[in-house]
Amino acid sequence: MPKLHLERTFFFLFTLTYTSVFAQITDEATYITQNLQRVKLPLEGEVWYYADDIARQIHLFKGNHSSWKIIDYPTETNNKITLAPMNLSVSQTTFKADNLLEFVWLFKDTVSRKERIKILNELGDSIFFFPFNQTKITVNELIDRPTKLFFEKQEANGTYSTTVYGLPDMVLEKTYMKASNFHRQIFGYKGEVYYFKNTPDKRLEIYYPNHSLCKSIPLAIPVSSSSRISEDDPYFFADDKTFNADISVEVVYSYNMRGFDQVRIANENQKILFHSNSFSSFIIDRQARQPDKLIWNYQTGDINANNQYRVISLPFPFIYPATTPREKTYDAPIERIVLNHFGAVYKYQLFSNAISLFDSNHRLWKNLPLKYSSNYRWSSLSPFISDNIVNSDSLIEIIWIERTDTSNARPLAHQLRITDERANDIAFIPNAYHFQVNQFDNLPNKLITKMTNGTTKVWRFNTRTAIQDPSVSNGLDVQVSPNPFVTSFTIFCKNSEHPIHIRLFNALGQLVFADKNVQMNAAITPPHHLSKGIYLLEIFSEKTHTTRRLVKQ
């Protein structure tokens, strides 16, 4: 049984003295582990923890990094026990409505190699266990809806079943047979549903929240002795609004024919909306207050050709076998990110010494140089792009890793750098070889870095709060007053140039007001319907420009 240690022993090195260059980040704590996790618990709030497989203990710390609890691993003869590799291995009130911590453990029999999963509280009391091999459990959370647990296991005949439990208290609701690729989702028109792929019967099964049947839809595949539905399908996805604006259900699924993977999107009437035999991967990119996009990694068919990365707006009228409409095709991987000041942009990196940003219309917007330090080059770790995580000006910030240039250097030297879009250094962390920007709703953003000495550091961003940032300029020295403003503001320019033009953007990067030939020292009144909040004011002439951050009260 796990034992609860209440003594406040410090199993990590806690430092507040070292700060990085330029003081834009502050070292909060150093942990002697490289598997540090941060969670937000409903009762305790922010918690840090790590699993020590050698000492066989879980170490937990409060949000201020003070030691909170130490939990011993459970013990059982002939079993190797670790935290289960699932989406929620440490929780509170998820499985039981008390204030005790809950742990999901994986028991692996060292003789038979069979695996079991047990859920225990911090006192070692059993909450639930799953005594089967070849199992997978997933905690499913939907906003404003009860949490569910899915338990998938392989049956004796080789098919899969999924059992749904209501949380907390593990209430058995329903067992679905022949159910692989199990989902719970909010459809566009039907609302909350359960759906899964019935592989043996080649069907999409959809059920209502009360587990009554909604629809059973055949999956259209060619009639051939070589055609078979794929059991483990990374593309499987369904909805009734994502791909087409009608109310019919559409499903993405793969099958194998003559040894080659095929991917289709078809509606509930088996009408094929899209088909590809060279579909490498895709994601459905959903961002708050942004249109959905399908980002498709497309193999052109030539084994020597580069992949293409296509952006497709959703929904759109699919016409098969005509060419799929597309917004833009890139020749390197892309990622859509949403910036605080400018809205949605596409991050594109073909070479390691620069990152290109494209606006929502796929026009080149900014080139961000990555200028290496002496004897360093960029590593393969993907850079993190933002415009308000490190500080509150409107310049783009890049967090990235450098490593020694010579491949025969042992050990390799690493350092993390934070630079802006002009390659100016904001901060750097020597000996950091991996990083994560950790973000939770209503909690401060933290930078977590793995260090070459085997420790993990937690950093706090020292975000500047100034409204204006005079460095975001190119030749114009202006002031805007009052700021914050209520109905109007005035631009004062020391090195006045005419004509002066202005454009005002909201936090999503949308143009909300523009004016040409603006007079200095004259009141400017944007539309009265503008909501309170943060705006970006762009002031420019034929040769110069500057930007200012405005707040409307």
Side-chain angles (χ1 to χ4, degrees), residues 23 160 166 171 175 201 212 225-226 247 253 259 267 272 280 285 303 373 385-386 401 449 461-462 517 521:
Y160 288 84
V171 178
T175 296
D201 298 338
S212 63
S225 59
S226 65
I247 61 172
Y253 58 98
N267 69 11
I272 301 171
S280 178
D285 187 273
I303 194 171
S373 305
I385 305 293
S386 74
I401 295 287
T449 59
F461 294 106
N462 302 328
N517 301 321
N521 307 326

Side-chain angles (χ1 to χ4, degrees), residues 83 388 480 522:
L83 281 180
N388 70 325
V480 181

